[in-house]
Amino acid sequence: MEALLALLGVAGVAFVALILIIKNVLYVCQPNEVLIFSGRQRTTEDGKLFGYKIIRGGRAIRTPLFETVDRMDLTNMIIEVQVKNAYSRGGIPLNIQGVANIKVPGEEPLLNNTVERFLGRSRDSIMKTARETLEGNLRGVLATMTPEQVNTDKETFAQRLAAEAEHDLNKLGLVLDTLKIQNVSDEVGYLDAMGRQRAAAIRRDALIAEAVSQAQATEQRWTNTRNAELTTLEAHTQIALKENERRIADAQTRRAALIAQQQGEVEAIIAQARAEVGMQDARIEQVRRQLQADIIAPADAARRKAEEDAKGHAARIIEQGRATAQVLTQIAATYNKGGAAARDVLLMQKLVPLFHSLAGTIGELKIDRLTILPKGTGSEGQPLGARLVDASEQIKAAIGIDVPKSLRDALGDPRSQKPPLPRTT
């Protein structure tokens, strides 16, 4: 019995020891971690030789005294990235705040870089290294972008920063899951001014858009009004056209009736006129015959009588002309025979009646004054008195001044002077 108890005790101790041994050498890997067994070399498929083994998920047994086991957390690490007075393109210093999510990769070969650089280091140390790397990348990317691009297109800025940082983080053995830019600011007021400018531009665009919208609405309203008015006018036009067609039809009907009436009246007038014409023709024939008997026949007789009388008168005139011509011929022959005396006699015969006519037109002459001029001559052979009278008459005719009268008025006319009266005592 004692021996059985001793065996049971030994078995229990052995079982406990086995459990303790298994617990110490058996390692179970959680899904959010990896196990690194160090101390034994292993060769990869591409022929590289490593002094550790990586276990992700599952379990593995550590060889006591020959291997050590380290755990590396694969959970996400949130890093706040903050850069102050980082110069952008254009020389404007900016302040950038962002959040990055990084983690230890769970796949090789990036996990090898992580093991080589961060095995045995704390998560704070890993996060510090990642933060410094991201801040350096952020400054580098910021130097290639203007403040406007950084402020207005943060998504593009984050993508460029992630692409720049991913390469450096992969070398360190870290993976960048996400990177978001939370805030962009500056201490010189550039972004604020740009924001006000953009706000002003937005307000301006809004006012322009509103004005354009109102203009379009007004234009559309007036277009609708115009279309409505055009439709109304078109309807009125159609109504007016139909009314005009009706009026035209009525007018054509009335015209046809009037034409028929007028034609009937004209035909009646024509028939009456034809009857009148026939009656007038009969009356004309009657008048013609009456005229023929009363006027034409006596006129024809008178015409024949006048013709006979004219023929007799013409014959008498012809005979008188012939006699006159014969007498003139004889007078001419006598004139030619008589010579100059015959011409004087003929001329006196013609002038005697003319003298009687001239003497009858002169009438009784009254002599106011008779002046007898001397026969003495001047220097040019013309009588002096004649020359004086001629000069006086020429002056009077040229300028209207009667020189003798002017002299008499100036010197006094001796013929008009009266003898002095006798003195009385």
Side-chain angles (χ1 to χ4, degrees):
M1 189 66 182
E2 293 179 356
L4 181 60
L5 291 174
L7 289 174
L8 290 174
V10 172
V13 172
F15 181 73
V16 172
L18 180 62
I19 291 176
L20 293 175
I21 291 172
I22 292 173
K23 184 178 180 181
N24 290 327
V25 298
L26 181 63
Y27 288 87
V28 178
C29 183
Q30 300 295 326
N32 59 347
E33 65 179 2
V34 292
L35 299 178
I36 297 95
F37 288 78
S38 304
R40 295 179 62 184
Q41 291 185 349
R42 67 181 183 89
T43 304
T44 61
E45 295 178 356
D46 55 358
K48 292 184 179 180
L49 183 63
F50 291 95
Y52 55 89
K53 180 176 66 173
I54 297 174
I55 301 297
R56 181 183 178 188
R59 59 185 177 272
I61 298 175
R62 177 180 65 86
T63 303
L65 302 177
F66 294 100
E67 289 181 338
T68 60
V69 178
D70 294 300
R71 295 179 182 272
M72 184 168 287
D73 193 358
L74 298 181
T75 57
N76 189 41
M77 292 178 286
I78 300 175
I79 301 175
E80 293 184 359
V81 181
Q82 184 174 3
V83 176
K84 293 185 178 181
N85 294 327
Y87 285 92
S88 62
R89 191 175 69 180
I92 305 300
L94 299 177
N95 300 328
I96 308 297
Q97 292 180 353
V99 176
N101 292 322
I102 64 172
K103 63 181 292 293
V104 175
E107 301 293 339
E108 298 183 54
L110 294 179
L111 186 56
N112 295 328
N113 295 339
T114 306
V115 171
E116 293 175 0
R117 290 170 176 79
F118 299 108
L119 184 61
R121 296 177 62 178
S122 63
R123 287 174 62 87
D124 292 338
S125 178
I126 296 174
M127 292 172 62
K128 180 180 178 182
T129 302
R131 181 183 299 108
E132 292 176 353
T133 301
L134 288 174
E135 290 177 354
N137 295 127
L138 192 149
R139 290 180 181 272
V141 173
L142 187 62
T144 63
M145 299 180 68
T146 62
E148 291 82 358
Q149 293 174 338
V150 174
N151 189 46
T152 58
D153 197 357
K154 295 179 181 179
E155 187 67 25
T156 302
F157 176 57
Q159 290 177 0
R160 294 181 62 178
L161 178 59
E164 183 74 18
E166 186 176 7
H167 178 69
D168 295 338
L169 292 176
N170 289 339
K171 288 184 177 180
L172 295 175
L174 298 175
V175 176
L176 179 62
D177 285 343
T178 59
L179 176 60
K180 297 295 182 181
I181 302 301
Q182 294 179 329
N183 186 26
V184 178
S185 63
D186 67 316
E187 296 179 357
V188 296
Y190 182 82
L191 294 177
D192 188 19
M194 185 177 66
R196 289 196 301 270
Q197 181 180 3
R198 182 169 179 81
I202 292 173
R203 287 195 298 271
R204 180 198 62 193
D205 295 340
L207 291 176
I208 292 174
E210 183 179 0
V212 171
S213 178
Q214 291 178 357
Q216 291 176 353
T218 303
E219 182 180 1
Q220 185 63 35
R221 184 171 62 254
W222 284 109
T223 301
N224 295 335
T225 304
R226 183 194 63 185
N227 294 334
E229 292 293 334
L230 289 177
T231 303
T232 304
L233 291 175
E234 184 67 23
H236 290 169
T237 302
Q238 294 297 328
I239 294 173
L241 290 175
K242 296 298 182 182
E243 185 67 20
N244 288 334
E245 291 178 357
R246 185 184 64 79
R247 291 178 179 177
I248 291 171
D250 293 342
Q252 289 177 349
T253 303
R254 290 196 299 271
R255 185 190 65 178
L258 290 174
I259 290 174
Q261 181 181 358
Q262 293 296 328
Q263 285 179 350
E265 294 178 357
V266 169
E267 289 177 357
I269 293 172
I270 291 173
Q272 183 179 359
R274 287 177 179 174
E276 291 288 338
V277 167
M279 185 170 56
Q280 292 295 331
D281 289 340
R283 186 177 297 175
I284 290 171
E285 183 63 23
Q286 180 183 359
V287 172
R288 186 181 64 76
R289 291 180 181 181
Q290 186 176 357
L291 290 174
Q292 183 71 26
D294 296 342
I295 298 175
I296 296 176
D300 191 14
R303 178 182 60 79
R304 287 195 298 269
K305 180 178 180 301
E307 288 178 357
E308 294 298 330
D309 293 340
K311 289 180 180 179
H313 184 66
R316 186 172 61 253
I317 292 172
I318 291 170
E319 292 299 328
Q320 290 178 357
R322 288 177 180 176
T324 302
Q326 185 176 3
V327 170
L328 290 175
T329 301
Q330 293 176 359
I331 290 173
T334 305
Y335 177 79
N336 290 329
K337 291 178 181 181
R343 184 172 62 253
D344 294 337
V345 172
L346 181 60
L347 180 60
M348 291 302 295
Q349 290 179 352
K350 297 298 181 182
L351 290 177
V352 167
L354 182 60
F355 286 155
H356 287 291
S357 298
L358 291 175
T361 58
I362 293 174
E364 184 179 359
L365 295 177
K366 182 179 180 181
I367 299 173
D368 184 22
R369 185 181 61 183
L370 180 62
T371 302
I372 299 174
L373 298 177
K375 294 183 179 180
T377 60
S379 60
E380 296 180 0
Q382 187 178 4
L384 179 60
R387 290 183 60 197
L388 293 175
V389 172
D390 188 18
S392 174
E393 294 297 330
Q394 289 182 4
I395 292 171
K396 183 178 181 181
I399 62 178
I401 297 174
D402 191 352
V403 176
K405 184 176 182 301
S406 298
L407 292 175
R408 286 195 303 269
D409 292 340
L411 300 177
D413 191 357
R415 293 174 298 177
S416 62
Q417 294 180 357
K418 295 181 179 180
L421 297 175
R423 295 182 177 180
T424 58
T425 61

